[in-house]
């Protein structure tokens, strides 16, 4: 049995730990509890599912318990009951406990337990409101399995096979290391601040970090204001920890310092090794071998005005076939990155290590060197470029009649921005768009109009969550924050890319070619129930049952449209959704309401798309650069890695925005702002300033002297005595009390009195279904990091 020092679950259960352990040790194992041919009790069935994630399909469960005939019908009803209660959820073809780790997971090895065993936690934990589960690393030096498993150490990031723990009272999982992804230094990142008399302190860049002392003899070349990496040198019995400077990264006063903090904090590779650059520089332009000549087809690129690489081009024309009257042919051409990036090359290994490009307000950390991304694979105007193209035929109702893939040589007829193309369609063409308005742009918009009919029939999830864009000054500080207008030009490109991605998945399935899908599971039943309870407080109903579809949520959003709680409902629906990931197993894409979907359209910036390109080349016999058998054998591992790297990029981008906004507002401490309650937890309120895209926290201890009650169903905190409170989505007036730019943290004080809570809520509280929090004391719940 392994115990983790300081683990929150251990602290919460200390008083009852011995009793629970004795009970667990006395409880029969699942094997002992099985009565062959009899439907198992709920607790035995749940334990079997937890301990056998690879054998938890209905068929495997029935086989394990020897169930036949009527017993199988009874088992099916029992499993449905467990799903409806949120105790298990369906993942692909198997049932798992909610929040269970996938069979292959990327772990960060963080500590040793009291027995000296290594403990890891998921590198990117999807459940933001919970503690990432601990995983005991099983290391074997015997090599009895196929090959000797790699041996990990503290600070390593590893790809691991996950198993349910057989012993109770310790971590819920054990793991065997498949591959060591990154040998991390046991380092802490922060900003060095010198102190009189020598030495200094390290200010944390993490919202939960603490200051560290740096003695004069351990400061190295660090100067005041430098971003540095330190190793904990020694810990005194009293006072702050002490550390030694290992690396000076640069001054935080320098340009682009904020994004550099996120790059180092999240371990994002940002410097290309020399051998990778040499390989990129040595690359030669693609030839016409195995290619069709499409250089006369007037494909155009439509991108943001500041885009440096152009990996997709589009074209549309009426379908001349008499079998498809009123139909359209839509062509999407994508840069042929697979021609240049071959499996196991230095460029390929570096691209996989990065997983995707990372976009910050002040820089881009690309997946591929500029020689590839901005030159050879960029579909430049008037320049011959290799591409993979898909030609799709749609009926006038927007139904796809067929598609074909081609390896081509193309020449872009025009490079346009979204605003430029939209202005031409709206009646204001310029010198470039004027000549191509009738022959190229109007047919494109007609194609989009036809595709929109198919989208309306498909009814994907239509969330209205505008994304804010930060504009920086030359010195790297924030100039302004705004919401860009969403144009039909954006929607045109988006829908054509979606259809190209669907075509790629369909073709590869038809050819029985292994691939990596982009999958999005339906919301878990537990999250559905939480949302259902919340919506009931607004007199909005949500259908019940396991066969949820995206249009059910669209109905909810439609009923909230134009109401004061519209934004609040959009946020709650978004929170109820699962996170999209990459997987070689297809479960469909819930949000887009598609049966099969694979990323194909951005191979310059996403490794998943590069894999799909290689798969198409192999499956269709299109020449060199196809998927190798070795790659096919490790698609599970690749999917797990790039899913983790995608979450890493999202976290780094979010943290950078938080720091930029906190720095922007740091000179306005004490000022008042209009805000909106964007999150409610036991510990207090999260408040968003819509004008700035900033998020801050109000601790419950500062709300007043009343007892505040946390009501999860209503997403509210309400005073027990006064009946006044705050609910998700409420407009509020707040004062900025503190800004910590390095950590990206803002703390507000509430100025609004709060509103009278509905009578139904107070009755709900009096019935005892509540969680009382004394406002005079800080609760033990630590507020989660960042925006939720």
């Amino acid at each position: 049995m392994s115990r983790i020092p300081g683990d929150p679950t251990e602290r919460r259960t200390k008083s009852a730990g011995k009793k629970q352990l004795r009970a667990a040790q006395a409880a029969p194992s699942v094997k002992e509890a099985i009565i062959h041919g009899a439907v198992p009790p709920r607790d035995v069935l749940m334990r079997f599912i937890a301990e056998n994630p690879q054998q938890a399909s209905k068929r495997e469960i029935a086989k394990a318990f020897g169930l036949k005939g009527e017993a199988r019908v009874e088992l099916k009803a029992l499993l449905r009951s467990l799903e409806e209660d949120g105790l298990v959820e369906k993942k692909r073809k198997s049932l798992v406990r909610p929040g269970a780790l996938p069979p292959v997971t990327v772990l960060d090895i963080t500590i040793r337990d009291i027995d000296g065993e290594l403990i890891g936690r998921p590198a990117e934990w999807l459940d933001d409101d919970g503690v990432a589960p601990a995983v005991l690393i099983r290391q074997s030096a015997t090599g009895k399995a196929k090959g000797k498993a790699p041996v990990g150490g503290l600070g390593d990031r590893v790809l691991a096979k996950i198993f349910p723990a057989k012993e109770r009272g310790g971590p819920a999982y054990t793991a065997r290391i498949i591959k060591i992804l990154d040998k991390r230094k046991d380092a802490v990142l922060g900003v060095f601040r010198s102190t009189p008399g020598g030495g200094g302190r390290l200010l944390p860049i993490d919202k939960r970090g603490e200051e560290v002392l740096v003695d004069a003899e351990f400061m190295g070349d660090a100067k005041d204001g430098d971003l540095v990496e330190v190793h904990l040198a020694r810990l005194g019995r009293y006072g702050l920890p002490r550390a030694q400077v290992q690396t000076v990264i640069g001054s935080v006063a320098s340009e682009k310092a904020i994004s550099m903090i996120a790059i180092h904090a999240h371990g994002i590779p940002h410097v290309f090794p020399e051998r990778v650059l040499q390989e990129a520089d040595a690359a030669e332009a693609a030839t016409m071998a195995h290619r069709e000549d499409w250089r006369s087809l007037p494909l155009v690129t439509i991108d943001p005005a500041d885009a440096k690489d152009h990996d997709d081009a589009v074209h549309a024309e009426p379908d001349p076939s008499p079998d498809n009257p009123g139909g359209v042919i839509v062509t999407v051409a994508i840069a042929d990155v697979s021609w240049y990036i071959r499996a196991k090359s230095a460029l390929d290994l570096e691209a996989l290590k990065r997983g995707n490009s990372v976009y910050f307000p002040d820089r881009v950390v690309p997946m591929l060197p500029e020689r590839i991304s901005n030159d050879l694979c960029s579909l430049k105007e008037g320049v011959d470029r290799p591409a993979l193209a898909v030609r799709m035929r749609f009926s006038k109702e927007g139904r796809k009649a067929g598609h074909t893939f081609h390896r081509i040589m193309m020449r872009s007829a025009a490079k346009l921005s979204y605003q430029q193309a939209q202005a031409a369609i709206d009646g204001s063409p310029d010198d470039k768009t004027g000549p191509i308005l009738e022959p190229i742009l109007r047919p494109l918009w007609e194609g989009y109009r036809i595709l929109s009919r198919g989208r309306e029939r498909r009814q994907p999830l239509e969330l209205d969550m505008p994304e804010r864009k930060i504009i920086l000054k030359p010195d790297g500080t924030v100039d302004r924050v705004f919401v860009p207008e969403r144009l039909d030009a954006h929607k045109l490109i988006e829908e054509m890319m979606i259809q190209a991605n669907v075509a790629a998945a369909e073709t590869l399935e038809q050819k029985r070619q292994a691939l990596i899908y982009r999958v999005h599971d339906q919301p878990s039943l537990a999250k559905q129930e939480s949302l259902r309870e919340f919506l009931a407080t607004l007199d909005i109903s949500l259908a019940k049952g396991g066969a949820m579809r995206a249009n059910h949520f669209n109905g909810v959003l439609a009923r909230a449209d134009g109401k004061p709680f519209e934004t609040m409902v959009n946020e709650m629906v978004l929170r109820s959704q699962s996170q999209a990931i990459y997987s070689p197993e297809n479960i469909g894409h819930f949000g887009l309401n598609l049966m099969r979907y694979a990323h194909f359209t951005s191979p310059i910036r996403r490794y998943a798309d590069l894999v799909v390109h290689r798969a198409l080349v192999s499956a269709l016999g299109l020449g060199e650069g196809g998927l190798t058998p070795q790659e096919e054998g490790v698609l599970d591992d690749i999917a797990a890695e790039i899913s983790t790297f995608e979450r890493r990029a999202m976290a780094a981008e979010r943290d950078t925005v938080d720091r930029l906004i906190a720095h922007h507002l740091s000179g306005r401490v004490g000022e008042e702002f209009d805000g909106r309650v964007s999150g409610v937890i036991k510990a207090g309120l999260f408040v968003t300033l819509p004008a700035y895209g900033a998020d801050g926290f109000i601790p419950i201890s500062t709300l007043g002297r009343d007892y505040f009650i946390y009501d999860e169903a209503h997403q509210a905190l309400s005073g027990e005595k006064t009946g006044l409170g705050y609910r998700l989505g409420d407009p509020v007036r707040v004062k900025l009390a503190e800004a910590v730019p390095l950590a990206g943290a803002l703390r507000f004080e509430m100025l609004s009195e709060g509103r009278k809570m509905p009578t139904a809520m107070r009755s709900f509280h009096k019935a005892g279904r509540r969680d009382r929090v004394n406002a005079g004391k800080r609760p033990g719940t630590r507020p989660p990091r960042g925006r939720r």
Side-chain angles (χ1 to χ4, degrees), residues 685-696:
L685 302 171
F686 289 97
V687 173
T688 295
L689 306 185
Y692 299 93
D695 295 285

Side-chain angles (χ1 to χ4, degrees), residues 603-617:
I604 287 178
R605 63 185 180 91
R606 293 186 306 224
Y607 195 84
D609 303 56
L610 176 56
V611 172
V612 169
H613 273 235
R614 289 173 176 166
L616 286 166
V617 169

Side-chain angles (χ1 to χ4, degrees), residues 302-351:
I302 305 178
D303 292 293
D306 57 354
K308 293 183 179 180
D309 58 68
H310 309 276
D311 56 5
D312 59 82
V314 293
H315 178 265
E317 60 185 341
D319 188 351
S321 172
D323 297 331
N324 189 26
V328 66
I329 297 176
V330 173
T331 300
V332 174
I334 306 297
D336 189 359
V337 180
S338 63
W339 177 264
Y340 294 101
I341 313 299
R342 301 298 175 89
K344 298 301 180 182
S345 66
L347 280 165
D348 179 54
L349 295 174
E350 183 67 17

